[in-house]
């Protein structure tokens, strides 16, 4: 009688121990091993055959991204939510991050999601933002990283270039995969009846509203504009680069190539301002502002137009009129187009679209400075070694003559 309770207790301990071990093994299998195998199988099936991996520079940049704690404020995962999709694009697929392991998805979105950071901003903007965030984004709460630079944003150390190299990998693989990659992933997903999974293939891969686009449909801005609202928006989003009076001398301007446009030395048509605000300017740091209501963009356009003070420009001497047309046809039309509309035969090959003189008119002084000095950071080269003073004066007048204010 005295040994029976002891044996029963020992058996109970044994059963409990075995049950505990089995539960532990089952938990590891269900929560660790099985999901991993499912993800690995899904990744292998949906991935392109030869996805682009990371360079040595990008791998170093990834380590810096982790070391500096970027993942504490930036996520790298576009969720299956319409709000995420409208801001950033199609939800993240597992195969997109197959080379980015352990993952840096992040848990808090204090800054924007970076899943599709590649190609969204120019390199000079990234460097300016890393060196002094508020020089280009007035309300930024991101800390500065001057240790990545040699004293100025246009002198990035290798670490800054590595970090940028890593940022330019985020979302790149899926962009490069193109429509064929999307079709392959959709077929491998085998999820035609799963409404949620189908969201991963709905809409553009990168829908970032700041990403520049070269061309495309642009909505007309409403005619009535709230100038007070426009000034507030300009101060919040534009003055850091273009300066408080639109002269292209904001605190972030010196780090950007090309420098922000001097709005006070241009006349712009409504269509040109709508184009720039909606699509940005590809090849420059000027982002698109498609996340703003059209009424706000109209208010911004009104502020920009208010910077251009009316000025009396000297008339072109009559004997130079023919020279301007001849020089323009031989030296400018290849890029700016025969009609000054920026559609020259070489325009499509240039990273930055040539100026459309029918929609924007620079001052005579600005035109002459561009001819003499070129425009740093653009394909516009200086012409003072190839053209005489009379020829540059003549062609500067000639390009101004194309402007029609959008009436044609």
């Amino acid at each position: 009688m005295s040994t029976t309770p002891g044996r029963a207790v020992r058996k109970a301990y044994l059963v409990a121990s075995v049950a505990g071990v089995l539960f532990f093994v089952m938990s590891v299998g269900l929560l660790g091993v099985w999901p991993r195998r499912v993800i690995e199988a899904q990744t292998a099936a949906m991935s392109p055959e030869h996805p682009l991996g990371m360079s040595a520079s990008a791998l170093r940049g990834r380590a810096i991204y982790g070391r500096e704690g970027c993942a504490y404020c930036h996520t790298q995962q576009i969720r299956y939510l319409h709000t995420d999709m409208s801001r950033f694009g199609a939800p993240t697929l597992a195969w997109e991050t197959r080379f980015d392991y352990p993952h840096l998805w992040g848990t808090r979105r204090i800054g924007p999601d970076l899943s599709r950071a590649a190609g969204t901003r120019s390199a000079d903007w990234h460097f300016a933002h890393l060196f002094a965030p508020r020089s280009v984004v007035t309300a930024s709460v991101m800390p500065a990283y001057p240790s990545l630079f040699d004293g100025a944003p246009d002198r990035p150390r290798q670490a800054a270039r590595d970090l940028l190299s890593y940022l330019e990998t985020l979302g790149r693989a899926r962009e490069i995969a193109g429509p064929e990659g999307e079709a392959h992933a959709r077929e491998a997903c085998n999820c035609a009846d799963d409404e949620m999974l189908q969201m991963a293939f709905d809409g553009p891969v990168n829908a970032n509203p700041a990403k520049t686009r070269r061309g495309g449909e642009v909505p007309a801005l409403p005619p009535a504009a709230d100038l007070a609202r426009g000034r507030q928006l300009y101060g919040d989003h534009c003055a850091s680069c273009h300066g408080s009076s639109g002269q292209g001398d904001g605190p972030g301007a010196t780090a950007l190539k090309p420098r922000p446009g001097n709005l006070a030395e241009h006349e712009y048509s409504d269509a040109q301002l709508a184009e720039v605000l909606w699509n940005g300017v590809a090849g420059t740091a000027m982002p698109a502002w498609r996340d703003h209501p059209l009424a706000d963009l109209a208010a911004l356009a009104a502020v920009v137009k208010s910077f251009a003070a009316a000025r009396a420009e000297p008339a072109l001497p009559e004997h130079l009129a023919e020279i301007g047309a001849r020089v323009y046809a031989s030296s400018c039309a290849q890029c700016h187009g025969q009609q000054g509309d920026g559609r020259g035969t070489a325009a499509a090959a240039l990273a930055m679209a040539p100026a459309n003189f029918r929609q924007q008119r620079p001052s005579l002084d600005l035109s002459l400075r561009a001819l003499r000095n070129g425009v740093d950071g653009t394909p516009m080269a200086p012409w003072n070694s190839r053209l005489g003073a009379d020829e540059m004066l003549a062609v500067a007048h000639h390009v101004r003559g194309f402007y029609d204010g959008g009436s044609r």
Side-chain angles (χ1 to χ4, degrees):
M1 294 294 290
S2 61
T3 58
T4 302
R7 292 176 62 186
V9 170
R10 286 196 294 274
K11 282 186 178 179
Y13 278 133
L14 179 62
V15 170
S17 298
V18 171
V21 170
L22 290 176
F23 180 77
F24 175 76
V25 171
M26 183 179 70
S27 298
V28 170
L30 288 177
L31 301 177
V33 178
W34 180 71
R36 177 176 178 175
R37 299 188 69 168
V38 169
I39 292 295
E40 286 178 344
Q42 186 186 70
T43 298
M46 297 177 70
S47 170
E49 189 173 357
H50 301 292
L52 186 62
M54 290 192 196
S55 66
S57 176
L59 288 171
R60 292 194 301 268
R62 185 178 185 280
I64 295 168
Y65 186 94
R67 182 192 73 197
E68 299 296 341
C70 304
Y72 291 130
C73 295
H74 294 284
T75 57
Q76 290 185 25
Q77 185 176 36
I78 302 173
R79 299 167 296 185
Y80 284 74
L81 299 172
H82 288 293
T83 49
D84 267 28
M85 294 167 65
S86 65
R87 291 183 64 192
F88 304 114
T92 303
L93 294 174
W95 75 262
E96 292 184 62
T97 58
R98 64 182 301 181
F99 297 116
D100 200 3
Y101 188 85
H103 298 112
L104 296 171
W105 288 335
T107 55
R108 300 183 69 194
R109 193 176 282 172
I110 296 174
D113 184 274
L114 299 180
S115 302
R116 304 279 156 70
T120 300
R121 295 280 192 170
S122 63
D124 55 352
W125 184 91
H126 276 299
F127 288 142
H129 193 226
L130 287 168
F131 183 79
R134 279 162 291 286
S135 69
V136 287
V137 181
T138 303
S140 176
V141 297
M142 193 174 95
Y145 295 93
S147 63
L148 303 179
F149 296 83
D150 187 17
D154 58 352
R155 293 201 293 274
R157 298 182 190 274
Q158 183 64 51
R161 293 195 291 273
D162 290 341
L163 181 55
L164 176 59
S165 179
Y166 172 64
L167 293 175
E168 288 297 331
T169 69
L170 301 178
R172 181 184 60 185
R174 192 165 171 185
E175 291 260 15
I176 291 175
E180 297 84 357
E182 290 295 287
H184 172 75
R186 185 191 291 267
E187 182 180 358
C189 176
N190 192 24
C191 53
D193 298 329
D194 192 318
E195 183 178 352
M196 183 174 179
L197 289 179
Q198 284 298 310
M199 291 170 67
F201 308 103
D202 187 17
V205 171
N206 189 342
N208 193 308
K211 186 174 183 179
T212 58
R213 298 190 305 205
R214 194 162 168 175
E217 191 170 341
V218 177
L221 302 183
D226 184 341
L227 202 55
R229 171 70 174 161
R231 290 193 178 107
Q232 177 194 340
L233 291 168
Y234 182 87
D236 291 344
H237 302 296
C238 312
S240 57
C241 295
H242 290 284
S244 58
S245 57
Q247 295 185 5
D249 57 355
T254 55
L256 303 178
K257 290 184 179 180
R259 285 179 66 97
N262 185 335
L263 308 176
E265 286 201 270
H266 281 92
E267 295 172 73
Y268 296 103
S269 70
D270 293 336
Q272 176 70 8
L273 291 173
E275 165 78 27
V276 170
L277 290 168
W278 190 253
N279 287 332
V281 181
T284 77
M286 175 66 192
W289 297 96
R290 289 187 293 274
D291 52 340
H292 284 256
L294 291 179
D296 282 356
L297 299 186
L300 276 172
V303 173
V304 171
K305 296 186 84 165
S306 73
F307 288 132
R311 64 182 74 197
E313 300 283 12
L316 176 67
E318 190 173 340
H319 71 283
L320 294 181
E322 182 276 334
I323 295 176
R326 175 172 51 78
V327 171
Y328 182 86
S330 64
S331 303
C332 312
Q334 294 91 338
C335 296
H336 292 285
Q338 293 290 344
Q339 304 303 316
D341 55 6
R343 297 179 181 175
T345 53
L350 302 177
M352 179 182 175
N356 180 343
F357 294 122
R358 299 175 73 92
Q359 300 287 347
Q360 64 183 67
R361 176 158 61 183
S363 69
L364 186 61
D365 283 347
L366 181 60
S367 298
L368 287 170
R369 290 201 302 273
L371 286 164
R372 291 171 185 147
N373 306 324
V375 180
D376 194 17
T378 78
M380 177 67 187
W383 288 86
N384 54 353
S385 64
R386 300 174 62 179
L387 298 177
D390 282 354
E391 290 175 312
M392 287 193 286
L393 178 63
V395 80
H397 275 282
H398 186 78
V399 299
R400 284 175 45 78
F402 285 121
Y403 184 71
D404 58 31
S407 61
R408 286 183 286 175

